[in-house]
Amino acid sequence: MRTVIYPGSFDPLTNGHLDVVQRATKLFDRVIVAVARSESKHPFFTLDERLDMVTQAVHGNGPR
């Protein structure tokens, strides 16, 4: 099984991020989107909000 990890703060999650995820699903068996906590960047959205956004956005692209 080929696995890739796509880390980022995703603050905010963009269509560009989702495009990378979609392309990765065609190249890898498993895509892990790792939402990073980066308080030094002073995020607009909380970590929980970003996790929810990513989860909702990639729903339907396979198991999380």
Side-chain angles (χ1 to χ4, degrees):
M1 176 181 275
R2 296 180 325 162
T3 301
V4 66
I5 300 173
Y6 180 27
S9 59
F10 304 106
D11 186 45
L13 180 67
T14 66
N15 287 334
H17 294 128
L18 296 175
D19 183 56
V20 170
V21 172
Q22 183 63 37
R23 290 171 186 252
T25 62
K26 295 175 183 170
L27 299 171
F28 298 91
D29 302 309
R30 184 175 174 203
V31 178
I32 299 170
V33 180
V35 181
R37 174 179 284 149
S38 179
E39 297 303 324
S40 66
K41 287 187 172 182
H42 307 291
F44 183 74
F45 295 103
T46 67
L47 179 61
D48 287 336
E49 288 172 327
R50 291 180 281 140
L51 286 169
D52 287 341
M53 282 188 271
V54 170
T55 300
Q56 289 177 21
V58 301
H59 181 73
N61 287 330
R64 292 179 292 282

